[in-house]
């Protein structure tokens, strides 16, 4: 049996905030408890938003928190040939098809139907059309995929210090999800399952906002013949208005906290990590899953 291996996988499309700090520190705590390794993966498939200076900044933020990672650090931008090969294999099996639809066209065609992320559920407009000579995405043919892998789909969920449980996945609710974008030969969903398998990840600790995506990931793992890790989806740190912290909402960055005089020890204690017994301060806990 392989030794436990976890990963923290941020995207360098903005500065890290308290939510990222909580997830990174929880990953480190679980890795220590399991006597396993924690890897850092840079998920930089977005060429428009991911920049080298933001990668350097997040590495510096994690070092400030006291976190170190084995080398080499994986960068998804260096693995495009791997993702392209996987897409080609799915295409040869008739499991994906090209799509030229714009966001506006999808919104108009989807009506009220939504995927688990709240985005318009793609109605299959381009399914069965010939390969276009214009830029296009590649979508999973969900109906065909479920013929090849009819299910049922399950995965093991765990909580630190508690017995595990078996969860049932429902990938069909994602519809014909994008697996290859128009600008890069992958999507988050495809890249993450390929990289977890290639890096030997046994336990995935990530936010509750990605729990629904696990349904699709389990299906992709079955289609590609990849192992399924155990999953823990932790609660999210929220602001005073109850919104989850987000780069898009310009939530206060760790760098800004540091510039205002916060120490790494204070921040770790605020998030409930590394506190001495009897510590008076009340840690900031995420909302429960």
């Amino acid at each position: 049996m392989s030794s436990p291996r976890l990963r923290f996988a941020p995207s360098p499309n903005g500065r890290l905030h308290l939510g990222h700090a909580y997830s990174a520190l929880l990953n480190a705590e679980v890795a220590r408890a399991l006597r396993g390794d924690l890897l850092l993966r840079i998920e930089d498939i977005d060429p428009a938003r991911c920049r080298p200076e933001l990668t350097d900044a997040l590495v510096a933020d994690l070092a400030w928190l006291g976190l170190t990672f084995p080398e080499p650090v994986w960068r998804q931008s260096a693995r495009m040939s791997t993702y392209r090969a996987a897409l080609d294999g799915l295409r040869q099996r008739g499991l994906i098809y090209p799509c030229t639809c714009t966001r506006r066209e999808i919104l108009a065609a989807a009506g009220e139907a939504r995927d688990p992320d709240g985005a318009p559920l793609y109605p299959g407009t381009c399914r069965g059309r010939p390969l276009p000579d214009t830029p296009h995405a590649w979508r999973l043919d969900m109906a065909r995929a479920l013929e090849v892998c009819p299910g049922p789909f399950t995965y093991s969920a765990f909580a630190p210090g508690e017995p595990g449980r078996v969860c049932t996945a429902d990938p069909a609710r994602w519809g014909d999800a994008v697996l290859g974008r128009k600008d890069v030969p992958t999507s988050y969903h495809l890249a993450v399952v390929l990289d977890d398998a290639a890096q030997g990840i046994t336990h995935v600790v990530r936010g509750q906002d990605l729990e629904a995506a696990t349904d699709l990931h389990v299906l992709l793992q079955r289609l590609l013949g990849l192992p399924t890790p155990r999953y823990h989806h932790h609660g999210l740190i929220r602001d005073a208005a109850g919104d989850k912290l987000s780069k898009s909402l310009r939530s206060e960055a760790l760098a800004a906290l540091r510039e205002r005089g916060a120490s790494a020890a204070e921040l770790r204690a605020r998030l409930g990590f590394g506190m001495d017994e009897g510590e008076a301060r009340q840690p900031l806990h995420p909302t429960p899953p």
Side-chain angles (χ1 to χ4, degrees):
M1 182 176 180
S2 59
S3 61
R5 180 172 280 196
L6 294 82
R7 46 65 166 185
F8 179 61
S11 296
N13 55 11
R15 299 303 299 267
L16 300 187
H17 51 62
L18 280 173
H20 296 113
Y22 178 83
S23 191
L25 292 168
L26 181 60
N27 266 279
E29 185 175 83
V30 173
R32 283 193 297 270
L34 295 175
R35 298 183 180 180
D37 298 318
L38 174 60
L39 309 181
L40 176 64
R41 179 194 304 155
I42 306 299
E43 298 198 336
D44 57 349
I45 63 170
D46 189 332
R49 300 175 61 202
C50 296
R51 305 195 303 273
E53 63 269 25
L54 291 174
T55 297
D56 294 340
L58 73 83
V59 170
D61 285 340
L62 295 171
W64 176 68
L65 288 173
L67 298 174
T68 59
F69 303 91
E71 295 286 346
V73 171
W74 279 39
R75 287 170 169 77
Q76 289 186 331
S77 57
R79 289 180 47 77
M80 292 300 173
S81 61
T82 297
Y83 309 142
R84 185 177 290 106
L87 271 183
D88 287 344
L90 292 171
R91 179 178 56 79
Q92 291 167 11
R93 296 165 63 192
L95 292 169
I96 60 175
Y97 61 88
C99 173
T100 59
C101 293
T102 65
R103 291 183 180 181
R104 180 177 297 181
E105 290 169 339
I106 295 170
L107 179 61
E112 299 298 318
R114 294 293 182 269
D115 70 17
D117 278 345
L121 187 65
Y122 185 69
T125 306
C126 290
R127 191 186 305 118
R129 292 182 177 177
L131 182 66
D133 56 5
T134 56
H136 54 272
W138 287 96
R139 289 185 176 274
L140 176 68
D141 187 333
M142 181 61 73
R144 171 64 178 153
L146 293 179
E147 288 178 0
V148 173
C149 292
F153 301 97
T154 61
Y155 64 92
S156 177
F158 75 99
E162 298 180 9
R165 59 189 175 89
V166 175
C167 296
T168 299
D170 181 17
R173 60 185 179 142
W174 284 96
D176 293 357
V178 171
L179 297 188
R181 295 170 25 168
K182 292 182 181 180
D183 54 347
V184 291
T186 189
S187 67
Y188 164 74
H189 300 298
L190 180 63
V192 73
V193 299
L194 289 170
D195 289 350
D196 282 347
Q199 292 190 287
I201 301 302
T202 61
H203 296 71
V204 172
V205 175
R206 60 188 182 187
Q208 182 185 2
D209 53 338
L210 289 170
E211 185 169 9
T214 309
D215 290 7
L216 182 56
H217 297 174
V218 171
L219 171 60
L220 291 175
Q221 288 155 355
R222 288 272 297 274
L223 289 173
L224 295 168
L226 305 176
T228 297
R230 301 180 68 191
Y231 290 92
H232 172 67
H233 295 97
H234 60 73
L236 304 175
I237 303 293
R238 299 184 181 272
D239 61 21
D243 296 321
K244 72 170 185 175
L245 300 187
S246 169
K247 297 170 185 172
S248 62
L249 295 178
R250 300 187 182 277
S251 299
E252 188 172 31
L254 298 182
L257 292 170
R258 186 163 65 245
E259 291 168 2
R260 290 200 289 110
S263 70
E266 289 169 342
L267 188 142
R268 291 169 70 99
R270 180 180 176 187
L271 293 171
F273 298 96
M275 297 175 63
D276 295 332
E277 187 174 353
E279 178 87 46
R281 94 176 67 235
Q282 293 296 314
L284 174 64
H285 289 297
T287 55

